Amino acid sequence: MEAISIVGVKLDTKGGAGAVNFEVKARLEEKERKSQMVVVGFILQLNTKPSIVKFEVEGTATLTGKDSEINRMLEVDPETKLPYVFQKVYQHVFTAMYLLSTILNTPPPPVDLLLFGRENVSAESMNLASEITESVEESKSENQP
């Protein structure tokens, strides 16, 4: 996984107290495919409700292994409605977002945000995730005699 940019923006300087929920938006795009390897570009956005802080991470993730393992990582998790690859991306960039929240003096994102089903998690590009799965199937049929 390679992060190209990690941004944290403080939206509310008053810093009101109270419950904060995080909303997740994600975008995934296949960049390259070879035998037993797929490179995907991603954008992961976290916004708080109420609007206190926004985090955005952009980068690429390289998935290697058997085609069935790669396909599994590109499948959508029925609980979070995001492809499983975002769980690994989130684990990788969580520390940076946590540090940014400390510097900005804002609530940090939860460590388990994408590991459990949450009502406030939504996929911005579900059609794109479906297209990636479809292109995986198309590539498999093209490579077979």
Side-chain angles (χ1 to χ4, degrees):
M1 215 238 27
E2 179 181 13
I4 296 170
S5 72
I6 301 174
V7 178
V9 179
K10 189 172 187 175
L11 304 171
D12 181 9
T13 56
K14 297 173 190 170
V20 174
N21 291 321
F22 279 83
E23 178 183 80
V24 177
K25 293 182 181 178
R27 188 175 303 157
L28 189 67
E29 179 184 352
E30 184 174 327
K31 299 284 188 185
E32 181 182 352
R33 176 175 292 276
K34 294 181 183 176
S35 178
Q36 299 187 345
M37 185 208 59
V38 173
V39 177
V40 292
F42 65 83
I43 297 175
L44 183 63
Q45 294 178 333
L46 278 67
N47 298 298
T48 57
K49 291 208 177 192
S51 288
I52 298 171
V53 66
K54 174 176 84 170
F55 299 104
E56 184 173 306
V57 180
E58 184 176 352
T60 59
T62 303
L63 306 173
T64 58
K66 296 179 182 176
D67 288 339
S68 61
E69 294 168 346
I70 292 172
N71 292 342
R72 172 79 173 118
M73 291 299 292
L74 295 174
E75 287 178 6
V76 175
D77 180 342
E79 291 184 28
T80 63
K81 308 292 189 241
L82 295 171
Y84 288 105
V85 68
F86 279 109
Q87 292 176 0
K88 298 292 184 187
V89 168
Y90 187 76
Q91 288 173 353
H92 190 79
V93 299
F94 170 77
T95 304
M97 289 188 293
Y98 186 87
L99 290 172
L100 280 173
S101 71
T102 302
I103 293 166
L104 296 171
N105 196 26
T106 61
V111 69
D112 61 353
L113 183 66
L114 299 185
L115 298 180
F116 301 104
R118 295 176 185 264
E119 292 178 13
N120 56 347
V121 175
S122 64
E124 185 177 73
S125 302
M126 290 309 296
N127 290 337
L128 185 52
S130 297
E131 289 172 18
I132 290 172
T133 304
E134 290 169 12
S135 68
V136 169
E137 296 302 320
E138 290 171 10
S139 296
K140 284 190 340 192
S141 60
E142 290 173 5
N143 293 335
Q144 293 176 355

